[in-house]
Amino acid sequence: MSQSLWREFDYEKRGLPQFPKLQGRHKTDVLIIGGGLCGVLCAWFLEQAGVDYMLVEADTIGSGMTGNTTAKLTSQHNLIYGKLLHLVGKERAAQYLRANEEALSQYRILAEMVDCDFEEKDAFVYTRSDRKKIEDEVEAVNALGFSTDFRETLALPFPIKGAICFPGQAQFHPMKFLTGIAKGLNIYEHTFVQELAPHTAYIGAEPGEERGEICADQIIVATHFPFLNKHGGYFLKLYQHRSYVLGLEGAQEVAGMYLDESQEGLSFRNYGNLLLLGGGSHRTGAQGGGWQELRRFANQYYAGAKEKYAWAAQDCMSLDGIPYIGAYSRRTAGLYVASGFGKWGMTSSMVAAKMLCDLVTGKEPQYRQLYDPARRMKKSQLFLNGTQAAVHLLTPSLRRCPHLGCALKWNPQEHSWDCPCHGSRFEEDGMLIDNPATGDAASLGRD
Ligand SMILES: Cc1cc2nc3c(=O)[nH]c(=O)nc-3n(C[C@H](O)[C@H](O)[C@H](O)COP(=O)(O)OP(=O)(O)OC[C@H]3O[C@@H](n4cnc5c(N)ncnc54)[C@H](O)[C@@H]3O)c2cc1C
C-alpha cells in the first residue's frame, strides 16, 4: 500500500513519539478508543480539564485516516449550507457554521504552540456544470451572516462556471500537529480493543498473550467507524467513501484550497513545492476513477510534473451530511461516539473533542442536538443505505466480510478486498486493513 506524504515525513525524518503498549487490568475515569485526530484531541481537552483518562490505539497514532487526509481546515464543507437550511433550518445551519469556525479558531491557537506548517488560505468550492448551485450557496451562507463571495475564475488550469470563496481558512501538516499535541498525553499504542461491555473494554490479545481489560466510568469510541453493532444502528446510518491523492512536484502553485462540488470531482492544495491533487472517489467496494483518473488529469494539465506520492483513504459518511457526535445510543449510559465526518474530519474532530469533553465532565455541550447521533433520519435515506447493504448480503460469494457477512469486492487499484456495505478492507491474504470489522477475513486469495 502507498504511504502518504504526512506519514512518510514523520516516520523517516522526524520520528513519532513512542507510546507503550497496554496489557493486564486497568481502571480509569474516561477511556478513549482510537488515536486519530478525534481521539487525540479528546485526550488533549481532558488533560487540560484535569480528568483521569487513557487513550488506546490499535496501531500507532495517526495511522488511520488522519495520516492520509489532505488536511484542509475549513468550515466550507462542500455546498452544505444550502442543504442544511432546507434540512434543519436557519438556527441549526448557523450553529454548524459557528461550530466549525470556532474549531478553526482553536486550531489557530494550538498552531501557535505546535510547529505544524499552519497556513491561512482561502477555500473555494467550484462547479464546472451548474452555476446556479454556487449562486444558491453564496446566498445561503450570506443569509447565515458569514461573508462570502462568488468568483467567476480561479487559479486552476480549466474553465469553471462559478465558485464560492470562504476567506481566512487554513491548511496544515496533520501528523506534525497530531504528534505535537500528543506529547505528554496518556496514550497507549498497539493496544487493540476487541470487545466492549458496559464500562469495560477488553484488550489484546495476540497468540500466547492473556486478554486484558480496562474498566472506565465513561468510554469514548473514536475509532472512525464505531465497531459496536448492538447499539446505535451505525451499520444502518453510515457508509464509507474512498478517495485518492497524488503529490505532484513541478505542477502548480494554486494559492488556496479548492474542491469540485460534484462527488467525483477534484481537490487541490499545495504543501511546500507539491500540489496535492485529490479525487477518483467512489463508495468503498464500488468501482471508481482512482489514481488512474488523477494521472490522466495530471498528464493533460501538468505534463512534466513528477509524481512523488500516491495514497488513498476513506471516510465515514452520515446519511444527512452532519456528523454523529454524542451519546452512542439511548441505552448505553457512559458510552460516547464521534463519527460520520464526511471527509471534513479536521474541524469536525475539534468540534467533537470539545463536545465529548463537555459531556464526560457533566457540562451541556453547545451543539448537542445538532450532532445528536440519535436524531431522526429520513426513511428514504435509511432505506437506500439499507438496500445497498441487503443486496451485498444476499450476493452469493465465498469471500465474506466478518463484520456483518456482506460479499467482498476485489479492488484492483489497491489489491485489497473491500466491503461495499460498511467499508471494511482486507489484504489479499485476509488480514484486516480498515474497520468496522474487528478481525481478519478467512481464506480470501485472488480471483
Ligand atoms: C482522501 C481524504 C482526504 C480528506 N481531506 C480532508 C480535509 O482536507 N479536511 C478535512 O477536514 N477532512 C478531510 N478528510 C477527513 C478526515 O481525514 C477524517 O475525517 C479524519 O481524519 C478522521 O479522524 P478520526 O480520528 O475519526 O479517524 P482515524 O484517523 O481513522 O482514527 C481512528 C483510529 O482508531 C483506531 N482504532 C480503530 N479501531 C480500534 C480498536 N478496536 N481499538 C483501538 N484502536 C482502534 C485506528 O487504528 C485509528 O488510528 C479527508 C478524508 C479522506 C479520505
Side-chain angles (χ1 to χ4, degrees):
M1 233 184 24
S2 309
Q3 178 104 306
S4 83
L5 150 72
W6 321 118
R7 297 196 64 209
E8 184 183 81
F9 176 91
D10 278 281
Y11 279 109
E12 292 187 357
K13 297 190 187 144
R14 185 180 159 109
L16 286 166
Q18 300 285 303
F19 297 102
K21 176 175 174 165
L22 193 69
Q23 287 170 302
R25 291 173 164 219
H26 303 269
K27 198 175 171 335
T28 181
D29 287 351
V30 182
L31 171 67
I32 304 160
I33 309 173
L37 186 60
C38 181
V40 173
L41 281 171
C42 286
W44 188 86
F45 276 108
L46 292 179
E47 175 83 24
Q48 307 310 306
V51 174
D52 173 51
Y53 71 92
M54 273 180 180
L55 183 154
V56 291
E57 159 57 44
D59 190 340
T60 53
I61 58 165
S63 60
M65 301 314 141
T66 298
N68 296 289
T69 181
T70 46
K72 299 172 184 170
L73 298 167
T74 176
S75 52
Q76 186 190 52
H77 294 179
N78 205 333
L79 303 183
I80 196 170
Y81 294 101
K83 284 181 204 140
L84 288 181
L85 275 176
H86 178 69
L87 190 71
V88 294
K90 189 166 173 183
E91 192 185 332
R92 296 238 169 120
Q95 284 182 359
Y96 188 94
L97 181 56
R98 201 161 59 241
N100 285 283
E101 280 292 307
E102 285 168 3
L104 188 52
S105 302
Q106 184 68 48
Y107 276 112
R108 279 195 193 95
I109 295 168
L110 288 177
E112 295 277 313
M113 303 188 263
V114 177
D115 166 25
C116 60
D117 302 332
F118 182 92
E119 297 172 278
E120 298 271 346
K121 295 278 173 190
D122 293 347
F124 303 87
V125 173
Y126 65 86
T127 182
R128 299 188 71 176
S129 60
D130 188 348
R131 183 182 170 97
K132 173 100 179 35
K133 272 190 186 171
I134 302 291
E135 287 170 345
D136 288 349
E137 186 72 357
V138 170
E139 199 180 313
V141 177
N142 288 343
L144 298 177
F146 186 82
S147 179
T148 180
D149 61 297
F150 187 94
R151 299 286 170 94
E152 300 282 349
T153 56
L154 292 178
L156 294 177
F158 47 78
I160 58 159
K161 296 270 192 227
I164 176 171
C165 170
F166 271 41
Q169 309 291 294
Q171 59 190 28
F172 72 161
H173 187 306
M175 289 302 287
K176 279 192 179 183
F177 177 80
L178 191 81
T179 54
I181 61 163
K183 279 185 194 139
L185 298 182
N186 194 23
I187 294 177
Y188 297 87
E189 293 185 328
H190 305 290
T191 305
F192 181 64
V193 173
Q194 288 182 323
E195 206 183 319
L196 268 179
H199 303 287
T200 308
Y202 295 97
I203 54 171
E206 284 166 25
E209 256 179 31
E210 205 184 316
R211 189 157 100 145
E213 65 179 53
I214 308 168
C215 295
D217 296 338
Q218 312 198 69
I219 299 179
I220 294 173
V221 179
T223 55
H224 194 233
F225 201 119
F227 64 94
L228 179 67
N229 290 324
K230 241 192 304 181
H231 300 281
Y234 294 96
F235 60 91
L236 287 175
K237 55 190 195 191
L238 278 176
Y239 64 95
Q240 299 206 55
H241 209 260
R242 203 153 176 80
S243 291
Y244 299 77
V245 185
L246 295 182
L248 300 170
E249 196 176 72
Q252 190 189 1
E253 165 61 62
V254 290
M257 309 180 294
Y258 303 84
L259 180 71
D260 189 320
E261 50 85 18
S262 76
Q263 216 175 35
E264 297 76 29
L266 298 174
S267 148
F268 302 79
R269 69 158 275 195
N270 292 109
Y271 177 72
N273 64 347
L274 295 174
L275 175 70
L276 306 188
L277 175 66
S281 310
H282 56 83
R283 183 171 169 137
T284 305
Q287 298 294 319
W291 291 304
Q292 279 168 8
E293 188 178 303
L294 297 178
R295 286 180 184 130
R296 267 198 302 276
F297 178 88
N299 284 337
Q300 185 179 353
Y301 291 101
Y302 304 125
K306 212 163 160 191
E307 185 179 311
K308 302 289 281 186
Y309 297 91
W311 74 88
Q314 61 195 29
D315 209 8
C316 295
M317 316 299 281
S318 72
L319 298 186
D320 58 5
I322 304 172
Y324 304 128
I325 303 169
Y328 200 100
S329 78
R330 300 260 190 259
R331 293 189 183 169
T332 44
L335 189 64
Y336 303 96
V337 70
S339 187
F341 295 154
K343 299 192 189 163
W344 298 111
M346 300 291 104
T347 52
S348 301
S349 285
M350 186 66 85
V351 173
K354 176 82 180 56
M355 286 180 61
L356 295 175
C357 179
D358 281 349
L359 275 168
V360 300
T361 53
K363 295 188 199 128
E364 173 70 13
Q366 237 185 328
Y367 308 113
R368 192 177 62 76
Q369 288 187 342
L370 171 67
Y371 289 101
D372 183 1
R375 66 186 177 270
R376 203 175 272 268
M377 290 292 137
K378 276 195 181 154
K379 285 208 178 90
S380 55
Q381 290 168 325
L382 281 167
F383 178 77
L384 199 68
N385 202 37
T387 310
Q388 289 260 11
V391 166
H392 298 294
L393 262 172
L394 297 172
T395 302
S397 168
L398 288 176
R399 297 176 175 108
R400 309 214 74 94
C401 179
H403 176 231
L404 289 176
C406 292
L408 295 170
K409 300 279 178 203
W410 178 243
N411 174 343
Q413 298 236 18
E414 298 177 81
H415 300 272
S416 58
W417 286 101
D418 299 355
C419 176
C421 295
H422 307 103
S424 299
R425 299 179 59 248
F426 304 88
E427 304 271 11
E428 212 174 316
D429 64 1
M431 221 167 94
L432 179 65
I433 307 173
D434 288 318
N435 75 355
T438 51
D440 299 339
S443 57
L444 292 180
R446 197 144 155 208
D447 280 328

